[in-house]
Amino acid sequence: MYHIVSSNISKISKNDDATINRDNNSYKTKFNSKILIIVLIGIVFHLSYTLSIFDIYFRSPLVHGMTPHKIELTPPANRLVLFVADGLRADRFYELEENQGQFHSRAPFLRSIIENRGSWGISHTRVPTETRPGHVALIAGFYEDVSAVTKGWKSNPVEFDHLFNKTKYSWGYGSPDVLLMFSDNVKTMETQVYAEEFEDFGADASNLDMWVFEKIEELFKNATKDQELNRKLKSNQIVIFLHLLGLDTNGHAYRPHSDEYLSNIKLVDRGVQKIYNLIEDFYGDQKTAYIFTSDHGMSNRGSHGDGERSNTETPIVTWGSGLRGPLPSNLQTEKIASLRGKAKEKLPVDTLTPDNWKLSHLFRSDVSQADVAPLMTSLIGLPSPLNSVGVLPIEVLSENSPEYTTAALYANTLQVWEMYQVKSDSKQKSTLLFFSPFTKLKDASKTIAKIDQLIATRQFEEAQILCHNFIELCLEGLNYFQTYDRPFLMTVITLGYFGWIITLSLYVINNYTSIGYNCNAKQLQSQIKRFETLSSYLIAITSFCFFGFLYVTDAPVLYYLYCSFLVLFWAKTIPANIVPLYLFLKDSFAQIQSSKGIYSGGQLLSSTTTTTNVSIIKNFIVIVLAAVSVMELLVVSYFYRSVLSLIYTLVGVFSIFTFYKNESLKLKLLWFGSCLMMSVFPLLPIDYGNDTNLVCFGGVLLFIISLLNYTLNIFGGASKNTKPIVNSVLMFVVLLSSYIVYSTDSALSRKIGLPYFNQIISWALLVSSFVVLSIYRGKGFYDHWNFLYLCISVPFLLLSISYEVLFVGCLVLNLTLWMYFELKTDSRLYPKLVSITSNNEPSTSLSFSKSAIKSNINDINITQQDIKRAILYIFFCYVGFFGVGNIASISSFEISSTYRFTTIFSPFLMGALLIIKIFIPLLLVAVSFSLLNNSLNVPRPGSFLIVIALTDIMSINFFFLVKDTGSWLEIGTSISHYGISNGFIILQLLLFSFSTLLVPTSLKHNNNNNRKRI
Ligand SMILES: [Zn+2]
Ligand SMILES: [Zn+2]
């Protein structure tokens, strides 16, 4: 990449003529080593810049070196029982079921607790709403940074302090994924977990909960015989933790409306009642505190992970020793508001209680998920976990001992304050120059002294208010240092993206347009020398400034990488590649000046070169504007899927009146109709349930479309030299797959599990379709296209649960017509149709070629039409990706899609199958684009670079749209947007390589004029 121009020069210098002879076509169309370097740099660039949001927006909050703050008074409870109903969402738990005018709770025992002995509320969780971060927030009190995802949530990236390593003894039962995360290296914790195979989605998952309840019963039964166990259970500061995975598993398998999920809530309620009675009988001292909550909710689609409200709202019910009983809701007045004033405001969603919960008469105490950690430790007299950012929710504590409540809140405050100090100190140490401290906490020592004094004089309420305000400031200060590097990094990243886009554009201009080839060699050489010197100065200066600054501030390694790209693009590749464009602009400018001069002198001379240059610039600006506006529209489509429908309709209308206006009316109508059909899909709801009939119908539709392609033979050529055996077999296989789907689903709905025979057939079809794809090559253009979409559709059919197959069928039809029109209208094949701008000189189209006719440059250059096609291609990719999915999150791709292959939960296998499913529509789009590029002899590397440069316009948008404030829905959504738009670029690399493998270069479009028409 560094030598892009220098190699041009060597060519130029060998050639005395000012323009370069371009008979060497193969060099243009193949991916050569320079392109390979660009691609590699592109991958590293996008990976590291994707990671940059973790440095900018989501840095690990953990700091080390704090000491625990003890509460010096006797705690109200001797022990704590924590129930976590994994995947239980708030509304399914609280709402009442109506049965013949009577309202019943699904959890009558916990309901009676809420009404008679405890408090209730919503525990607001943060994204990602997954099991591991949910439990870390509950038990360790901090929101694990999102980057822990990369470690698979399995092992702990860093050791952290939590509830269980502080207790005297603790017992935990449940899923290995959760329990082992906390019991590692904690000698005082006894855990029992079931095997992972036990978590079978096909079977009834409430067995998982039964297992946990039985284990607790066993524990207390054993205690009557085992003296040692009895002694341990009778000691203070112990925790019993029940992790109940049944609801999560049933929610994934049957969704949260299902009878399975709802009756699982009833089962959990009965279990909680049983354990409560058991424990009360065993101890008989009323010294137990109980907390019932959940790690995350469950969306209507049976998934979680994103910031949807159904995922972030989980129930919390607290009762027992040290905890308050029910309060009337009218108490929700200024007193409480002032106590938790700011904390309340931060809660992400409105706090209206839905009517059908029938709970508005009772005071509701909402918490942030991390608040549960200091609540639990305070109840049994332990210090808060060291990195906890939770604020003790004092309004759920008993009103009987304000002294203890205040002491606990004070200890909580000191712990957060110390964390702030550690963070502030370390930032100050690493920032030698220009350190700007957090000013709001200047008077911290005074505030602490004041709180001390208030506690000493037993003015508890005032002390609590001060503590709350102070803790809020500390959290704000923590956030300040958390985001300290942000302005610097954001500038670096933005400039990096622009540098990359400009580098790509310059490379395309130099190698695939006449600007790069029609340069005056002598001028070019002398200018390049100048720019090279400039470049080396720039490199020296920028490297010195950046790396010196990073070294002095002790910056992380990745910061060096971000800055290296900045230096690479702005100081190296841009100066090295800008010369031809610079000369071209200089030339044009001079010509405009001179022609003006001549004109003002009274002589009317027309200079053809000038007009050509000017129109090239004009066309270029038009294309750039068009590209940017389509990309911006696609950005909007992330927020409103219906924009995709709008664009589709516009494409349909616009193209039949412009690009394709000379085609037969029938085909134009068919094309317009297929665009309209496609525009329906983004309008359909994404919470679609399972509908086997639609899947089978889609299979039949695909069959009909391929039949149409053969019998109607709109493209001609196909009938001559094809032996359609392979494709006929494939058409049969499509029908077979539909049948397999039908029979598997009916077996699953009868709950007899996944039939072994069907599973084998499904796997065989999946594997063999990929094998056949990689071996077989069709005869001729359309034969191969028919083969490709049939073969690619088979695995998709097996992974579909509803109307997705219809979507793919319509997409195939749409792409087929698109390719047909593009082939017919491209100027390379039909020079007469070249001008969209009603100008018959191809020289003014965006081939940038002044001497197009002479040097036959149009055969090999990137033209206006290629850029148009690239834009449409990106649009089709978006439709392929989002046509049937949710833009907000990948988790919307339903896990039940994989049930024809496996029903046993295994994240990696299921994830891989889902990725194949997501990939298939994209692959269809990519192979059709590749077929087109091959047939039209478009330089593939060139069109690839254009696609990448265009998609990065969107990445910059989403980089700025990443949010770390506001509701968790917005935050989660913004992260996935940025991730997806960056991922698209890496995805394009994959798609281009795949489609290059699947589409042989030898396949040429049958360019004869005796096509049949329908
Ligand atoms: Zn979970
Ligand atoms: Zn789950």
Side-chain angles (χ1 to χ4, degrees):
M1 174 165 207
Y2 310 114
H3 314 293
I4 294 164
V5 163
S6 25
S7 67
N8 273 352
I9 296 166
S10 60
K11 280 202 180 79
I12 295 162
S13 46
K14 278 177 210 150
N15 198 333
D16 283 344
D17 199 40
T19 53
I20 295 162
N21 196 353
R22 314 230 259 94
D23 49 3
N24 188 7
N25 283 1
S26 63
Y27 135 81
K28 305 258 84 185
T29 46
K30 279 187 186 147
F31 279 81
N32 55 27
S33 59
K34 260 180 268 161
I35 300 280
L36 193 69
I37 293 170
I38 295 182
V39 165
L40 286 177
I41 289 178
I43 292 175
V44 180
F45 170 72
H46 284 103
L47 282 178
S48 64
Y49 273 43
T50 310
L51 290 181
S52 78
I53 59 161
F54 294 115
D55 276 325
I56 297 171
Y57 297 101
F58 310 100
R59 300 182 57 186
S60 172
L62 295 190
V63 284
H64 299 280
M66 290 88 64
T67 45
H69 290 270
K70 283 198 187 120
I71 309 165
E72 302 296 345
L73 302 167
T74 320
N78 290 348
R79 67 201 73 86
L80 173 85
V81 182
L82 170 65
F83 301 93
V84 178
D86 198 310
L88 174 59
R89 61 190 247 194
D91 56 350
R92 288 288 168 274
F93 174 72
Y94 286 124
E95 74 195 5
L96 296 185
E97 280 180 320
E98 198 188 337
N99 193 1
Q100 295 165 348
Q102 296 271 317
F103 291 97
H104 301 281
S105 170
R106 291 186 187 111
F109 171 70
L110 285 163
R111 182 80 182 190
S112 76
I113 293 282
I114 293 169
E115 280 171 356
N116 305 311
R117 285 143 70 192
S119 71
W120 73 282
I122 302 277
S123 160
H124 297 273
T125 71
R126 288 196 186 178
V127 281
T129 44
E130 296 289 353
T131 297
R132 183 192 157 101
H135 281 87
V136 169
L138 284 172
I139 290 163
F142 67 90
Y143 300 103
E144 199 169 29
D145 58 319
V146 187
S147 61
V149 173
T150 53
K151 288 164 183 115
W153 304 119
K154 286 278 177 195
S155 61
N156 295 335
V158 240
E159 282 304 309
F160 55 84
D161 190 37
H162 52 80
L163 172 71
F164 297 120
N165 63 10
K166 295 178 165 318
T167 52
K168 211 165 271 168
Y169 301 105
S170 50
W171 290 264
Y173 301 91
S175 156
D177 292 340
V178 171
L179 268 300
L180 300 182
M181 180 164 89
F182 297 106
S183 65
D184 264 3
N185 304 322
V186 180
K187 289 202 185 80
T188 55
M189 185 171 189
E190 279 177 30
T191 47
Q192 281 196 40
V193 297
Y194 36 76
E196 247 170 78
E197 298 82 69
F198 201 45
E199 303 171 24
D200 185 339
F201 285 155
D204 188 0
S206 54
N207 289 336
L208 298 173
D209 301 341
M210 301 285 280
W211 184 90
V212 174
F213 293 131
E214 278 160 22
K215 286 288 160 190
I216 300 279
E217 285 180 283
E218 214 176 291
L219 176 79
F220 283 97
K221 206 186 248 169
N222 289 344
T224 55
K225 288 171 258 164
D226 185 339
Q227 283 306 309
E228 176 64 9
L229 178 63
N230 195 37
R231 184 190 64 77
K232 285 182 179 174
L233 280 171
K234 293 264 165 85
S235 34
N236 291 350
Q237 300 190 328
I238 65 165
V239 175
I240 297 168
F241 170 39
L242 292 82
H243 174 243
L244 307 164
L245 189 66
L247 280 163
D248 181 71
T249 315
N250 271 326
H252 286 308
Y254 306 104
R255 308 211 168 83
H257 317 289
S258 61
D259 288 342
E260 284 82 354
Y261 188 83
L262 299 179
S263 60
N264 201 158
I265 296 179
K266 292 176 188 161
L267 182 135
V268 165
D269 183 65
R270 284 198 299 274
V272 171
Q273 181 173 24
K274 208 192 229 169
I275 300 304
Y276 170 75
N277 290 334
L278 184 78
I279 289 176
E280 290 300 311
D281 288 349
F282 183 83
Y283 291 104
D285 61 356
Q286 309 260 310
K287 279 289 193 181
T288 314
Y290 299 88
I291 294 178
F292 176 86
T293 185
S294 165
D295 56 345
H296 52 74
M298 180 69 62
S299 76
N300 291 344
R301 296 179 304 278
S303 60
H304 53 83
D306 59 24
E308 223 177 77
R309 194 164 162 174
S310 52
N311 285 335
T312 59
E313 292 194 349
T314 64
I316 180 164
V317 181
T318 57
W319 75 101
S321 184
L323 292 155
R324 72 158 169 83
L327 292 174
S329 59
N330 53 21
L331 224 144
Q332 207 146 6
T333 48
E334 288 121 46
K335 185 187 144 194
I336 305 265
S338 72
L339 279 180
R340 296 262 298 167
K342 283 187 177 167
K344 265 267 152 38
E345 269 167 38
K346 275 199 175 165
L347 290 177
V349 278
D350 61 281
T351 44
L352 278 178
T353 304
D355 283 340
N356 65 345
W357 295 9
K358 303 268 186 272
L359 278 171
S360 40
H361 61 294
L362 291 174
F363 181 75
R364 165 176 159 178
S365 305
D366 280 19
V367 297
S368 294
Q369 198 170 29
D371 298 346
V372 180
L375 173 64
M376 294 194 292
T377 52
S378 300
L379 283 169
I380 51 174
L382 295 170
S384 290
L386 287 177
N387 271 298
S388 160
V389 292
V391 182
L392 179 64
I394 51 173
E395 75 265 24
V396 308
L397 293 177
S398 159
E399 312 91 328
N400 298 335
S401 64
E403 186 176 8
Y404 187 80
T405 304
T406 314
L409 182 63
Y410 185 47
N412 182 202
T413 309
L414 290 180
Q415 167 259 327
V416 177
W417 161 239
E418 196 178 339
M419 187 160 55
Y420 164 83
Q421 281 175 304
V422 169
K423 198 145 202 172
S424 168
D425 289 350
S426 77
K427 196 77 232 175
Q428 187 161 15
K429 242 181 248 164
S430 67
T431 315
L432 290 184
L433 309 161
F434 323 117
F435 176 72
S436 51
F438 182 66
T439 46
K440 288 188 189 168
L441 277 171
K442 282 202 303 271
D443 302 327
S445 47
K446 275 185 210 158
T447 315
I448 291 171
K450 175 89 183 152
I451 297 172
D452 272 330
Q453 188 215 333
L454 285 170
I455 291 174
T457 55
R458 302 184 68 81
Q459 289 170 279
F460 298 125
E461 207 162 288
E462 288 77 5
Q464 288 172 5
I465 293 173
L466 262 192
C467 279
H468 262 299
N469 293 343
F470 187 66
I471 226 171
E472 287 303 325
L473 279 183
C474 292
L475 291 175
E476 202 184 318
L478 277 171
N479 187 51
Y480 171 80
F481 288 114
Q482 188 80 14
T483 57
Y484 192 82
D485 296 333
R486 194 173 287 185
F488 168 71
L489 280 177
M490 289 191 85
T491 317
V492 168
I493 299 294
T494 314
L495 287 175
Y497 271 115
F498 277 112
W500 164 250
I501 293 174
I502 294 173
T503 302
L504 289 187
S505 315
L506 289 178
Y507 186 84
V508 172
I509 288 175
N510 290 346
N511 290 277
Y512 303 105
T513 69
S514 55
I515 293 179
Y517 280 90
N518 293 350
C519 279
N520 181 306
K522 274 177 199 155
Q523 266 189 338
L524 191 63
Q525 265 179 321
S526 71
Q527 287 296 340
I528 276 174
K529 277 214 182 86
R530 270 182 59 195
F531 275 85
E532 267 175 1
T533 343
L534 175 77
S535 158
S536 42
Y537 281 125
L538 268 176
I539 291 172
I541 295 166
T542 50
S543 312
F544 178 77
C545 291
F546 277 127
F547 299 130
F549 175 73
L550 293 179
Y551 182 76
V552 167
T553 55
D554 197 20
V557 186
L558 266 179
Y559 285 28
Y560 287 87
L561 197 57
Y562 306 147
C563 291
S564 320
F565 281 114
L566 208 58
V567 175
L568 172 67
F569 296 143
W570 287 100
K572 181 74 199 174
T573 56
I574 293 179
N577 288 287
I578 206 161
V579 184
L581 182 67
Y582 168 76
L583 287 177
F584 171 78
L585 289 177
K586 208 174 123 185
D587 192 29
S588 325
F589 190 68
Q591 282 169 356
I592 293 166
Q593 287 295 320
S594 63
S595 69
K596 264 186 193 161
I598 293 166
Y599 185 76
S600 58
Q603 285 171 288
L604 197 65
L605 275 180
S606 73
S607 158
T608 39
T609 23
T610 316
T611 42
T612 320
N613 270 11
V614 170
S615 49
I616 287 173
I617 295 171
K618 266 187 199 158
N619 274 334
F620 182 73
I621 291 170
V622 167
I623 274 285
V624 166
L625 284 179
V628 170
S629 24
V630 173
M631 293 305 124
E632 292 300 322
L633 267 181
L634 284 178
V635 168
V636 181
S637 81
Y638 275 72
F639 301 94
Y640 308 96
R641 278 170 87 225
S642 50
V643 171
L644 289 177
S645 306
L646 178 77
I647 305 178
Y648 235 126
T649 317
L650 287 180
V651 165
V653 175
F654 189 67
S655 57
I656 53 174
F657 289 109
T658 52
F659 313 129
Y660 309 148
K661 66 175 174 206
N662 296 329
E663 298 307 311
S664 83
L665 183 67
K666 267 185 204 164
L667 284 179
K668 273 196 291 193
L669 283 180
L670 191 59
W671 159 254
F672 183 64
S674 80
C675 285
L676 278 187
M677 273 199 289
M678 288 303 294
S679 66
V680 171
F681 289 98
L683 299 175
L684 294 177
I686 35 173
D687 288 350
Y688 47 86
N690 286 16
D691 192 334
T692 316
N693 292 338
L694 278 179
V695 180
C696 297
F697 181 58
V700 175
L701 180 76
L702 271 169
F703 182 81
I704 293 171
I705 289 175
S706 53
L707 211 60
L708 269 176
N709 272 349
Y710 277 102
T711 48
L712 294 179
N713 192 21
I714 53 171
F715 306 109
S719 56
K720 261 198 280 174
N721 54 357
T722 46
K723 297 180 191 117
I725 296 171
V726 173
N727 288 1
S728 317
V729 171
L730 275 173
M731 283 159 74
F732 166 73
V733 170
V734 165
L735 289 181
L736 173 70
S737 313
S738 312
Y739 173 72
I740 292 288
V741 167
Y742 176 75
S743 102
T744 310
D745 281 10
S746 62
L748 283 176
S749 67
R750 279 179 278 133
K751 297 225 179 107
I752 53 173
L754 175 58
Y756 196 52
F757 176 75
N758 289 20
Q759 194 181 9
I760 290 180
I761 298 278
S762 298
W763 276 107
L765 286 175
L766 177 78
V767 174
S768 57
S769 64
F770 283 107
V771 172
V772 175
L773 258 187
S774 54
I775 308 171
Y776 180 76
R777 294 290 169 263
K779 298 212 167 68
F781 188 93
Y782 291 108
D783 189 43
H784 195 57
W785 165 239
N786 277 327
F787 158 74
L788 283 174
Y789 73 73
L790 280 171
C791 203
I792 296 173
S793 304
V794 170
F796 191 80
L797 248 164
L798 293 170
L799 286 166
S800 294
I801 52 170
S802 183
Y803 60 76
E804 307 102 297
V805 191
L806 292 178
F807 168 77
V808 160
C810 292
L811 184 67
V812 165
L813 184 65
N814 195 253
L815 289 174
T816 313
L817 290 164
W818 179 55
M819 287 193 294
Y820 171 77
F821 282 133
E822 286 297 324
L823 287 174
K824 260 200 100 185
T825 55
D826 193 88
S827 58
R828 292 184 184 86
L829 298 173
Y830 296 90
K832 276 178 197 163
L833 297 176
V834 63
S835 92
I836 302 152
T837 53
S838 80
N839 182 340
N840 273 335
E841 282 177 44
S843 52
T844 55
S845 73
L846 205 87
S847 72
F848 304 124
S849 47
K850 293 181 213 166
S851 47
I853 300 146
K854 256 195 283 173
S855 62
N856 207 16
I857 258 166
N858 250 347
D859 283 350
I860 202 68
N861 263 345
I862 294 284
T863 66
Q864 210 164 347
Q865 283 160 321
D866 297 327
I867 299 177
K868 176 198 87 188
R869 247 192 314 273
I871 296 172
L872 267 178
Y873 164 70
I874 294 170
F875 167 65
F876 287 145
C877 281
Y878 269 80
V879 172
F881 196 56
F882 291 132
V884 285
N886 181 5
I887 272 173
S889 80
I890 303 209
S891 76
S892 65
F893 295 94
E894 307 206 19
I895 208 161
S896 58
S897 310
T898 61
Y899 287 174
R900 279 133 216 163
F901 295 93
T902 177
T903 49
I904 299 191
F905 182 68
S906 89
F908 288 102
L909 179 64
M910 288 179 163
L913 288 170
L914 280 181
I915 286 171
I916 291 179
K917 185 184 172 189
I918 296 167
F919 203 64
I920 283 173
L922 294 172
L923 195 60
L924 280 174
V925 175
V927 291
S928 58
F929 188 55
S930 181
L931 275 167
L932 271 179
N933 280 346
N934 270 351
S935 305
L936 296 171
N937 216 3
V938 178
R940 219 164 24 195
S943 74
F944 171 68
L945 295 182
I946 289 174
V947 167
I948 298 221
L950 286 174
T951 40
D952 271 331
I953 298 175
M954 281 187 273
S955 304
I956 298 178
N957 276 279
F958 288 118
F959 174 68
F960 279 96
L961 289 171
V962 173
K963 283 183 181 170
D964 68 333
T965 53
S967 81
W968 295 116
L969 173 65
E970 290 170 313
I971 295 172
T973 309
S974 71
I975 300 175
S976 22
H977 287 171
Y978 183 62
I980 291 169
S981 71
N982 259 304
F984 247 83
I985 292 140
I986 293 177
L987 190 77
Q988 289 307 334
L989 294 170
L990 288 173
L991 286 176
F992 265 75
S993 349
F994 262 105
S995 55
T996 310
L997 289 178
L998 297 181
V999 178
T1001 32
S1002 56
L1003 273 188
K1004 286 284 181 248
H1005 170 57
N1006 191 352
N1007 181 19
N1008 56 10
N1009 285 325
N1010 46 10
R1011 295 158 207 274
K1012 284 185 201 165
R1013 301 231 168 150
I1014 51 170

